[in-house]
Amino acid sequence: MQRTLVLLKPDCIQRRLIGSLIQRFEQKGLRLVGMKFLQPSRELAEKHYAVHKGKPFYESLLTFLTSGPAVAIVWEGREAVAVVREMMGKTDGAKSPPGTIRGDYGISVQNNLIHGSDSTENAAMEINLWFAPNELVAYQPVDASWIG
Ligand code: DAT
Ligand code: MG
């Protein structure tokens, strides 16, 4: 079973899309392991997007991620990293096909509603960055044998 980190970014919260996005992942069969609503600090945003430091959009990206509250979620499931990335669509909302989250709700590159880890290694790092171990809840879903 894989775990992945999802962030519902400040535009998602301001546009009141939290429930719509969470519903998609629930319905897909991913199981909720951790969830928190928080105001990301500059320090946390810098660590989260360290890989993009030096790029032209870096400063603007940090300003955006710290511009308001966000929701951090850990989802678990079979192939969770790839499943979430597929459901998100492409980075640019304008190029994301209908049916994907960014394709259905956005047209911006930067304000693209959601972050999802892009590898199992980065997922582990990002989960560790946004959550303390005791904020992740292990349990046995009663429908596990049906969901796969
Ligand atoms: P993704 O979020 O699809 O994994 P990424 O990791 O390459 O994309 O970039 C992180 C975020 O940075 C992305 O969600 C939006 C922003 N970003 C990426 N490329 C950009 C660009 N060319 N101009 C403005 N913002 C950009
Ligand atoms: Mg990325």
Side-chain angles (χ1 to χ4, degrees):
M1 263 322 150
Q2 278 181 12
R3 288 181 175 182
T4 191
L5 180 87
V6 163
L7 299 179
L8 305 183
K9 296 177 180 178
D11 56 336
C12 177
I13 282 68
Q14 297 296 343
R15 294 176 56 194
R16 302 169 200 269
L17 290 171
I18 297 171
S20 301
L21 267 54
I22 287 178
Q23 183 175 33
R24 290 182 178 229
F25 295 118
E26 268 198 306
Q27 288 181 339
K28 180 67 175 169
L30 293 164
R31 74 174 70 146
L32 188 62
V33 171
M35 178 157 65
K36 64 167 79 167
F37 182 57
L38 75 166
Q39 169 60 56
S41 66
R42 166 93 193 184
E43 189 189 357
L44 182 57
E46 279 179 2
K47 286 182 183 161
H48 179 77
Y49 277 135
V51 66
H52 295 302
K53 191 168 184 183
K55 294 186 184 168
F57 57 83
Y58 177 71
E59 274 307 320
S60 174
L61 181 60
L62 290 197
T63 301
F64 168 58
L65 186 59
T66 58
S67 66
V71 176
I73 307 173
V74 177
W75 291 110
E76 184 176 82
R78 194 173 153 262
E79 301 286 340
V81 170
V83 165
V84 167
R85 293 287 296 186
E86 283 288 307
M87 291 174 72
M88 285 164 51
K90 298 183 176 161
T91 304
D92 184 346
K95 297 189 173 70
S96 289
T100 64
I101 289 166
R102 288 165 169 171
D104 284 349
Y105 295 112
I107 204 164
S108 167
V109 180
Q110 177 186 268
N111 297 15
N112 59 9
L113 296 146
I114 185 166
H115 166 85
S117 308
D118 62 7
S119 67
T120 52
E121 293 77 19
N122 285 338
M125 275 173 27
E126 292 171 1
I127 290 168
N128 191 45
L129 188 60
W130 289 83
F131 287 88
N134 66 2
E135 292 172 328
L136 303 177
V137 182
Y139 58 101
Q140 187 58 35
V142 294
D143 61 359
S145 64
W146 291 91
I147 299 293

